[in-house]
Amino acid sequence: MSQQDQRAVLQQLFTRRNFMRAAGLSAAAGVLAACGSDETPATTSSSAATTAGSSAGTSTSASAETSMSSATSEGTASATGSATGGAGPSVAPGTYGTIALQLSWIKNIEFAGEFFADSKGYYTQAGFEKVDLVSGPVDSADALVFANSVDIGLSAPDATARLVSEQGAPLKIIGSTFQKNPFCILSLEEGKPIRTPEDLKGKKIGIQTGTNQSIFAGFLSANGIDASELEQVAVGFEPTPLTAGEVDGFMAYLTNEPFIVKADGKTPVTLSFADNGLPLTAETFTVTEETITSKRDMLKAFLWAEIKGWNDAVADPAGSAKLAVETYGSDLGLDIPGQTEQAEAQNTLVVSDETKTNGLFTISDTLMGQIGEALVAVGITDVTTDQLFDLSLLEEVYAEYPDLIVG
């Protein structure tokens, strides 16, 4: 595929992403080193015995694109030896049946950890017959979890909190893959580069209609900038208005659109929201409170497999790209150099000093407080972080399997 054709494919994909972007559901891949523990999660309560049937029943309602079959995963697991967990699961194979994980976007590099967990057999080893990786985009992963159409959804704190606030949805976030959200203002070195919040003043900024407008308003508020000090215009989700000179800045994702403008021969300049007053996390694992209560062991097993997969993925961007291009996203026209480049660029969104110490998906007390402030900044004032997050399952997983923390 030529570079021009690749750009066309990417632009089509970004156009399709519309509502996902508006719902704040997106993120990246990241960096760490080495694999996790060679242990596997153990059953800790009697509820595990009944989980398989109910879990499988729930997931059958999902209109899912399934991942590689569990038979393939088991074969891969056998071939990779200790990398898949060595001693084998301490629960009976298939204990937790089949569950559905709603992805927030198409099957590209953003879900490298899930690809590794599936292809290396970590899901199978943890006690699942299969974990269906349900391809996005969707209007709202949170709404699908709320409706019991899927078991787990990948979302973002603002999107989940909004559904909790507006509909009283009994949802909880049990971990966050990405420590930094990838929202940014993208500008061009060849145009009017925007490097600081102050540089926004007097500029014409393209913002997607819907929730993105609220998020940008929160970003302005967090930086003491009045909306009257700049001009906002409605745009879509691919950066043509920026490259055509119609706007000076464009609300984008650090992990996506900068690569499109770079491929067009432009020099991207990015202003990160997370590093400038709006530190929301992203690709959070959302479940119902009922699932936490009745299927706690299943969720812990899932988190164990996810951590294993992401430890592998962030240690191997090229391997992640290969899985995305050749297997899971083989029909998307992706290319290995581009996916590898994006994976490397996304590394800083996954790993922080806190995750190096405490493990992937964890959220420090400091970051939790910042998330609470960011939710207020985007207009969600009636949902506290205590109401929104339950990180106790993740804490238990790391207490039982400390070797999963790889630094």
Side-chain angles (χ1 to χ4, degrees), residues 235-248:
V235 294
F237 288 85
E238 52 88 22
T240 300
L242 178 66
T243 56
E246 298 169 7
V247 296
D248 303 315

Side-chain angles (χ1 to χ4, degrees), residues 107-122:
K107 291 181 178 179
N108 65 0
I109 197 66
E110 295 182 9
F111 311 106
E114 283 73 35
F115 301 160
F116 270 99
D118 183 63
S119 65
K120 284 198 169 185
Y122 297 150

Side-chain angles (χ1 to χ4, degrees), residues 38-63:
D38 283 347
E39 301 171 278
T40 53
T43 303
T44 57
S45 75
S46 59
S47 64
T50 60
T51 302
S54 57
S55 181
T58 300
S59 65
T60 55
S61 62
S63 56

